[in-house]
Amino acid sequence: MLDTDSNYSAFRFITVDAYLTAVNFYEKNGFVKLTQKEENDHTRLMFFDMMELE
């Protein structure tokens, strides 16, 4: 149950629009490609699930 009197925010996912040259870096740090196909020639959508830290 959330405490409505507290001032805080919570999030579950971190998303990035990674340059193709940085995809390897993000994968090494636990990010996953959002789709299996290339979205465009310059970047790739990726995400990290914060629940993986538990």
Side-chain angles (χ1 to χ4, degrees):
M1 183 170 147
L2 292 176
D3 181 3
T4 57
D5 293 330
S6 296
N7 272 336
Y8 68 91
S9 63
F11 61 94
R12 168 125 186 227
F13 298 101
I14 298 174
T15 59
V16 296
D17 193 12
Y19 287 110
L20 295 180
T21 56
V23 167
N24 201 25
F25 166 81
Y26 284 108
E27 286 179 326
K28 287 179 182 177
N29 287 285
F31 282 75
V32 178
K33 295 172 185 164
L34 193 59
T35 63
Q36 292 303 314
K37 66 178 187 128
E38 295 291 332
E39 293 298 320
N40 62 47
D41 294 336
H42 304 290
T43 62
R44 190 71 189 263
L45 293 174
M46 303 181 79
F47 72 95
F48 179 80
D49 186 352
M50 294 298 290
M51 296 296 285
E52 297 291 323
L53 296 177
E54 293 186 300

